[in-house]
Amino acid sequence: MVRWRSGTVTAVRRRWAGAVELDVDLPDGARMRALAYPALVGEPEPGDRVLLNAGALLMGLGTGGYALVVALPDRLPPDPPQAGDSRDAGHLVKARYTPLQPILLGVDEEASPHHDRLATADSVDGMPVVTADLHSALPAILAGVRADAPDARVAYVLTDGGALPAWFSRTLAGLSGHLAGTVSVGQAFGGDLEASTLHSGLLAARHVLDADLTIVAQGPGNLGTGTRWGFSGVAVGEAVNAVATLGGRPVGSLRISDADARPRHRGVSHHSLTAYGRVALAPAELVVPDGLAPGLAAEVAAALTPLADRHRIVTVPADGLDAALRATPVGLSTMGRGLDADHAYFLAAAAAGRYAARLLG
């Protein structure tokens, strides 16, 4: 449950799109690193009293290691300018029935300027869609796309398996100007567009953002329990099904590593094997980069053999991808490991991006 703390803002630290990092002093003399989303709670200033949810920080979680500002109780933000008794500004409720549920304008609602375009949309017209397990794959996939298709319009569909607010992601903030836009779907929110489902989000990426290619992945903070089915990335398989249902071309980014200390994530992660091998009922093109170390390449090939009955396994040249990865506008990190510490992971993601880009012709 929630571990509550109350304290006083002593310093405003880093800012990025939609988020601000704070130092908060507690009455017992302790200091906590906290994160606020001004769109939800207002703009914190030194001297403000803040109410905090401190559970993730106290537990020492890596991705979610902040105390989160729940409210500035002595200086509440003003109401939004739109009328609160109509649907003119939207009625899409996300993080539903939690104390901080925001009410947003859905991209296909009647009040949306895009409603007419999406009212009858039923296909993404063969658009390549790269599906990935972890948020950390996003910049690597994009690097692979840019290596071969520098001018392609690439959209990002943010699913709700990890962080719900798009604002939490410094990676996404750093990719501003490099993406055609972000669509936050399901319970996720804070994207350039809001959609209620993955299906409507994919349609919005194609028909509103005019994307040539889309990347689907959860936000930061993957949940895993070490069991076959207990991980949020299982939704990757459902993403493949959604893409196929809408007439898209699913391209699977595989989670490959020879650096992860956990046996279940070495070679091809059990997350990828379960999502693509058991959950995805529609065929996808699963991408393997060439140039993997011989032992890792053999392990990957063996792991993917059972998936070849449903999916097409494609090997993609890796020449130039290392340089593309090193030129990304944001730092690369997965589970605390950078590019050189887990090169195969990022190379596999970039290869998926390259393959999807080549489908554009």
Side-chain angles (χ1 to χ4, degrees), residues 334-357:
T334 186
M335 304 294 169
R337 299 185 296 273
L339 174 59
D340 291 320
D342 204 346
H343 196 266
Y345 169 80
F346 294 106
L347 190 66
R354 163 170 278 176
Y355 183 75

Side-chain angles (χ1 to χ4, degrees), residues 177-272:
H178 298 270
L179 292 166
T182 296
V183 188
S184 36
V185 305
Q187 297 296 324
F189 56 92
D192 301 291
L193 299 172
E194 303 289 348
S196 54
T197 68
L198 175 56
H199 297 76
S200 59
L202 288 166
L203 290 167
R206 180 61 168 174
H207 297 291
V208 177
L209 295 177
D210 296 319
D212 302 311
L213 183 155
T214 293
I215 301 167
V216 175
Q218 63 184 332
N222 170 71
L223 174 63
T225 64
T227 62
R228 174 173 291 175
W229 294 103
F231 64 97
S232 51
V234 74
V236 171
E238 300 290 5
V240 170
N241 297 336
V243 174
T245 296
L246 294 174
R249 191 160 179 179
V251 176
S253 176
L254 295 167
R255 184 173 171 182
I256 293 173
S257 178
D258 57 1
D260 201 305
R262 298 165 293 180
R264 64 184 183 274
H265 292 305
R266 295 181 69 86
V268 182
S269 168
H270 80 103
H271 284 192
S272 290

Side-chain angles (χ1 to χ4, degrees), residues 287-299:
V287 180
V288 179
D290 70 3
L292 295 176
L296 177 60
E299 194 172 352

Side-chain angles (χ1 to χ4, degrees), residues 101-168:
Q101 62 179 22
I103 300 177
L104 306 159
L105 179 63
V107 66
D108 54 354
E109 287 193 70
E110 291 85 348
S112 167
H114 311 295
H115 176 264
D116 289 346
R117 187 180 304 181
L118 293 175
T120 58
D122 197 42
S123 172
V124 296
D125 306 326
M127 179 176 65
V129 179
V130 183
T131 58
D133 179 10
L134 299 178
H135 188 69
S136 56
L138 171 62
I141 294 168
L142 185 61
V145 173
R146 295 286 180 239
D148 283 29
D151 298 323
R153 288 183 61 81
V154 182
Y156 170 46
V157 171
L158 167 68
T159 61
D160 55 14
L164 298 186
W167 311 314
F168 185 82

Side-chain angles (χ1 to χ4, degrees), residues 312-342:
R312 181 176 172 228
I313 315 299
V314 294
T315 301
V316 172
D319 54 294
L321 290 182
D322 178 76
L325 288 166
R326 295 186 189 282
T328 56
V330 297
L332 298 175
S333 179
T334 186
M335 304 294 169
R337 299 185 296 273
L339 174 59
D340 291 320
D342 204 346

